[in-house]
Amino acid sequence: ERAQKKVEAMNFGGRKNIIEYDDVMNYQREIVYDRRNYAMDGEDISSEITDMANDYIQDIVEVYCSVENYNNWDWNQIELDVMDTFSLDISSCRDNISDKSELVESINKGVLEILKYKSETSDPVMFEKFQRYIASSTIDVNWREHLYAMDQLREGIGLRAYGQKNPLIEYKKEGFAMFDEMISNIDYEILKKIFRTNIDSISTTQTQA
């Protein structure tokens, strides 16, 4: 009876452990699916893109302009990043900017002008479909890669027990870091694809999202 109870306890512990591991993925899946559903059917995809761009701009400004004195900012890097992501030249901003909020506002203004130009010089409905297609397809690709990476992490995480570490805690911690990196990659890729795509090619891009 004691052996039977021990086996049952082990089985219960195993099932509970599996559920806890699954809870991590269910939480991540819910976030990704909500975002994908909005990309497909949300009311205003353009607003989502501008919010994404604003968040990205604020992040890179914090990275490259962390010091208070704007003369010591890494202007070369932020100019390269903004050009690479948005196809926006901000080199002329140097002499007119004195703090980070002004720089964020200036970049955001240029980004909004690019979006407005793309919308006005192409069919607005087609441009909306284009944005939805880019957002949903980018999410799909990154999510598939993330699922594979999480499977690999789960298969090897049990070895952490030999280092006196709780495998589940380590799985949650590393899984969150990987998920956070995936979300950042999704935002960057969506923005780069939308802003760097030639407006003349939008009408020929697959947009059946």
Side-chain angles (χ1 to χ4, degrees):
E1 288 179 0
R2 286 198 300 271
Q4 179 65 27
K5 289 180 180 179
K6 184 173 292 187
V7 170
E8 290 175 354
M10 290 175 60
N11 290 338
F12 174 77
R15 290 193 297 272
K16 181 181 178 182
N17 208 34
I18 290 173
I19 290 173
E20 289 178 329
Y21 277 99
D22 288 343
D23 284 344
V24 174
M25 287 309 303
N26 288 336
Y27 171 76
Q28 295 184 3
R29 186 176 291 106
E30 182 178 342
I31 293 175
V32 170
Y33 282 16
D34 281 348
R35 187 165 182 183
R36 188 183 188 281
N37 288 338
Y38 189 88
M40 297 283 289
D41 304 310
E43 291 183 3
D44 189 356
I45 188 62
S46 293
S47 178
E48 176 79 359
I49 300 301
T50 54
D51 288 345
M52 195 184 304
N54 179 61
D55 290 342
Y56 182 83
I57 291 165
Q58 293 194 53
D59 287 344
I60 62 173
V61 167
E62 286 299 321
V63 171
Y64 299 125
C65 311
S66 57
V67 296
E68 291 298 323
N69 189 343
Y70 68 91
N71 290 316
N72 295 325
W73 289 353
D74 194 342
W75 279 102
N76 289 333
Q77 280 303 121
I78 196 165
E79 287 174 10
L80 285 172
D81 199 320
V82 172
M83 175 60 75
D84 179 64
T85 307
F86 301 106
S87 290
L88 176 64
D89 183 5
I90 61 167
S91 58
S92 60
C93 291
R94 290 198 185 195
D95 297 332
N96 303 316
I97 299 298
S98 59
D99 60 44
K100 289 187 285 189
S101 63
E102 289 182 357
L103 180 57
V104 170
E105 183 179 353
S106 178
I107 299 173
N108 264 320
K109 181 180 178 181
V111 164
L112 290 175
E113 288 176 353
I114 291 174
L115 279 178
K116 182 180 179 181
Y117 171 80
K118 285 180 177 289
S119 179
E120 291 178 349
T121 55
S122 64
D123 180 83
V125 175
M126 186 66 69
F127 184 57
E128 179 183 348
K129 289 183 177 180
F130 167 74
Q131 292 180 92
R132 292 187 185 279
Y133 169 73
I134 292 298
S136 59
S137 61
T138 302
I139 291 171
D140 288 345
V141 170
N142 280 270
W143 177 239
R144 285 196 296 268
E145 293 175 354
H146 180 71
L147 287 176
Y148 176 76
M150 290 295 289
D151 284 342
Q152 296 298 107
L153 174 64
R154 184 167 175 173
E155 288 180 8
I157 203 71
L159 298 175
R160 306 295 175 88
Y162 293 106
Q164 306 300 313
K165 294 182 178 180
N166 185 311
L168 181 58
I169 292 176
E170 293 297 303
Y171 176 78
K172 289 180 178 180
K173 183 170 64 176
E174 293 192 26
F176 175 79
M178 291 164 60
F179 183 74
D180 192 48
E181 182 179 3
M182 180 199 67
I183 294 297
S184 296
N185 288 339
I186 287 174
D187 289 351
Y188 171 70
E189 290 178 20
I190 289 174
L191 292 172
K192 190 171 183 178
K193 290 173 183 176
I194 288 176
F195 282 87
R196 291 183 64 85
T197 299
N198 191 317
I199 194 67
D200 295 331
S201 68
I202 288 180
S203 60
T204 59
T205 301
Q206 180 184 0
T207 56
Q208 291 82 16

